[in-house]
Amino acid sequence: MKNYVNNIEEKLFSSCQYSNEIKKIAEYLNNEKHKCFGIQINQDVDDCSDFSPLLSHNLNNLGDPFTGKGGHLVTFNYERELVELVAGYFNIDSSEVWGYYNPGSTYSNLHGVHLGMSKFENPTLIISDEAHNSFVKAARITRCKAVVKIKTDQFGRMCPEDFEKQLRINRTNNYIISFCSGSVTKGAYDDAETLLSVLRNLGIDKSQYYLHLDAALGGMITPFLLENPLRLDFSIDEIDSLSVSFHKRLGIPMPGSLFLARKKTLNTLPDHPYAEHYSSYDTTLGGSRDGFSPFVTLMKLKKIGYEGMVSRTNHVLEKAKWLCELLRNNDINASCNDYSPCVVLPAPSSALLKEYHLPLYASPEGDYTHIFTMEHVKKNAIYTFLDKYLQSNSSNRVGPT
Ligand SMILES: *Cc1c(COP(=O)(O)O)cnc(C)c1O
């Protein structure tokens, strides 16, 4: 035991090693970040160094931001203001919604499934076959026994025909249903209106299902499109709750997501116990929660402003269209959904996948990957990628095609 302790002490850093290590990782991150093409994260967060004075404090938003008394140092007032601001983006009056900040949309999706599970006895969870893995995980955590996956079309949207067919086959009393605003692999938007009309035509009443919207990606896109063409928000009465991530589109240093739920729905659910040790109703998944990120998120949204978000969103979506066209002009079979920053293309060599932090998706039509044209993905870097892509494809080719 003594030796073991001594060994640990020998590994203590000198202050020089300590700052070298910080420098080393910062350098690595600076070199890599402009090549992070593949995961839906906006790496444009340089301006967040403004918040460094806050790193000298522990900000713990312990419990519920609306009713909790909190730990010692909290940012509850900012967290509540964030909920109210974002509620407006999703077309609901701030007095009609409750919400809080999570470490990511996996948690916010889990919270949605959890509320559906507390509303019904033995419901069936209905998701698309391209839904984020967090739903199957949430089903396991909440002991939801039945999960039905609906086929998606070539664009990645839930197929209304299969939705209807599966609802007929899996007829039961209650459902938890999730629609998607900006799917993981193709950035697709589900057609909520058509899917809801399927439910209505089958005579499935709203009292029989809980509807969650996974807007992890699309939640920071659709509110900033002119004339709200997709309407994936609380203007759809049937939607009970939603998730929206901020690290995906806004640009913040740590992952973060908001869970929002209609108070009208919450009022039909069982009450939460009171957590005496931190003087709060136990409404949140986490106990101790990050108080830094909701502040950063609110400040950035207020600094950029609605009009700023509109123009940023336009820019990113135009860059996706531009990239898709550029690839197609080079005989690469690329595609891109409307209003989506996601460009799908045939997978390149594994070396290029690794260099540009791209995922590999297998499909019967051939392996593919995707690029998200976030702010930090610059056109110069894209040209370099394209050169390498074309080169590696031509050297891989065996004989004429
Ligand atoms: C990223 C994503 C999630 C999960 O969010 P995390 O913040 O990574 O936990 C869920 N759904 C969709 C559609 C996503 O894009």
Side-chain angles (χ1 to χ4, degrees):
M1 191 62 203
K2 192 151 184 284
N3 282 342
Y4 180 69
V5 172
N6 281 346
N7 277 344
I8 288 175
E9 278 177 5
E10 273 163 26
K11 284 188 198 139
L12 275 184
F13 271 4
S14 67
S15 60
C16 168
Q17 280 173 306
Y18 172 84
S19 44
N20 276 346
E21 206 65 32
I22 295 174
K23 243 183 252 155
K24 202 165 86 189
I25 189 166
E27 236 163 68
Y28 164 78
L29 299 174
N30 282 332
N31 285 334
E32 285 304 308
K33 101 178 191 182
H34 65 279
K35 291 185 288 184
C36 286
F37 280 18
I39 303 223
Q40 41 277 60
I41 294 174
N42 181 358
Q43 294 288 353
D44 209 10
V45 293
D46 302 25
D47 59 346
C48 290
S49 54
D50 293 348
F51 298 103
S52 60
L54 300 189
L55 293 179
S56 315
H57 306 278
N58 178 281
L59 302 173
N60 187 342
N61 285 6
L62 200 45
D64 186 311
F66 287 87
T67 61
K69 302 229 171 50
H72 296 288
L73 300 175
V74 298
T75 62
F76 276 164
N77 53 334
Y78 295 102
E79 188 176 6
R80 289 194 300 270
E81 190 181 340
L82 179 66
V83 167
E84 285 156 12
L85 177 70
V86 175
Y89 291 163
F90 287 104
N91 281 314
I92 189 165
D93 193 89
S94 59
S95 65
E96 291 172 29
V97 81
W98 174 85
Y100 73 105
Y101 207 90
N102 265 321
S105 283
T106 292
Y107 297 82
S108 299
N109 288 341
L110 171 60
H111 202 129
V113 173
H114 160 65
L115 293 186
M117 287 298 286
S118 46
K119 190 172 173 75
F120 302 124
E121 197 105 346
N122 270 330
T124 296
L125 174 64
I126 301 202
I127 53 177
S128 94
D129 64 7
E130 292 218 5
H132 190 260
N133 54 293
S134 51
F135 286 97
V136 170
K137 185 158 53 186
R140 292 179 73 178
I141 294 171
T142 61
R143 302 290 189 269
C144 175
K145 290 196 203 85
V147 180
V148 173
K149 291 189 180 182
I150 309 299
K151 285 196 188 108
T152 44
D153 63 15
Q154 67 186 113
F155 306 105
R157 296 175 303 201
M158 207 189 272
C159 276
E161 295 77 20
D162 196 50
F163 187 53
E164 176 172 353
K165 183 174 149 200
Q166 295 302 328
L167 284 167
R168 284 185 193 279
I169 297 173
N170 298 283
R171 201 81 202 222
T172 179
N173 291 337
N174 300 112
Y175 307 90
I176 302 169
I177 303 171
S178 179
F179 294 164
C180 188
S181 170
S183 69
V184 190
T185 56
K186 295 179 181 164
Y189 298 96
D190 281 337
D191 180 352
E193 280 304 327
T194 305
L195 295 168
L196 286 168
S197 70
V198 168
L199 285 162
R200 267 179 238 121
N201 292 341
L202 288 171
I204 299 173
D205 186 72
K206 174 60 190 136
S207 61
Q208 292 174 271
Y209 64 90
Y210 182 99
L211 182 58
H212 178 77
L213 178 70
D214 179 6
L217 174 66
M220 279 291 115
I221 296 174
T222 63
F224 310 111
L225 300 173
L226 291 179
E227 294 177 0
N228 195 11
L230 297 169
R231 270 197 73 213
L232 284 164
D233 58 36
F234 285 112
S235 66
I236 294 177
D237 285 338
E238 287 86 347
I239 292 179
D240 294 293
S241 60
L242 63 80
S243 313
V244 48
S245 285
F246 299 107
H247 53 288
K248 295 198 167 169
R249 279 297 304 120
L250 184 61
I252 54 170
M254 287 146 189
S257 157
L258 211 57
F259 174 77
L260 294 180
R262 257 183 226 280
K263 282 190 185 160
K264 203 170 74 182
T265 302
L266 295 174
N267 290 341
T268 66
L269 303 178
D271 284 338
H272 293 89
Y274 192 72
E276 275 161 355
H277 41 284
Y278 49 83
S279 314
S280 172
Y281 286 100
D282 199 3
T283 52
T284 56
L285 288 184
S288 287
R289 294 185 305 109
D290 175 6
F292 175 74
S293 297
F295 177 79
V296 173
T297 302
L298 177 69
M299 289 303 116
K300 274 205 86 161
L301 279 173
K302 289 179 88 159
K303 188 172 96 178
I304 298 166
Y306 183 82
E307 290 305 323
M309 286 303 291
V310 168
S311 87
R312 280 186 183 217
T313 304
N314 260 337
H315 195 165
V316 159
L317 297 181
E318 267 163 26
K319 194 160 51 175
K321 286 266 173 282
W322 168 84
L323 170 59
C324 191
E325 200 127 300
L326 177 70
L327 295 172
R328 288 181 152 277
N329 290 342
N330 282 279
D331 292 326
I332 298 165
N333 184 16
S335 62
C336 174
N337 279 313
D338 284 343
Y339 312 114
S340 173
C342 175
V343 177
V344 174
L345 67 158
S349 66
S350 52
L352 264 198
L353 287 175
K354 189 156 180 254
E355 183 177 354
Y356 286 89
H357 306 269
L358 297 166
L360 176 64
Y361 295 109
S363 110
E365 292 86 45
D367 294 349
Y368 68 95
T369 188
H370 59 196
I371 294 175
F372 284 85
T373 53
M374 298 306 183
E375 277 81 346
H376 68 281
V377 176
K378 303 285 187 235
K379 289 192 174 176
N380 278 347
I382 289 176
Y383 284 125
T384 308
F385 167 80
L386 178 61
D387 281 345
K388 291 183 182 176
Y389 186 101
L390 292 172
Q391 257 170 31
S392 85
N393 269 20
S394 60
S395 59
N396 281 347
R397 203 165 283 161
V398 270
T401 48

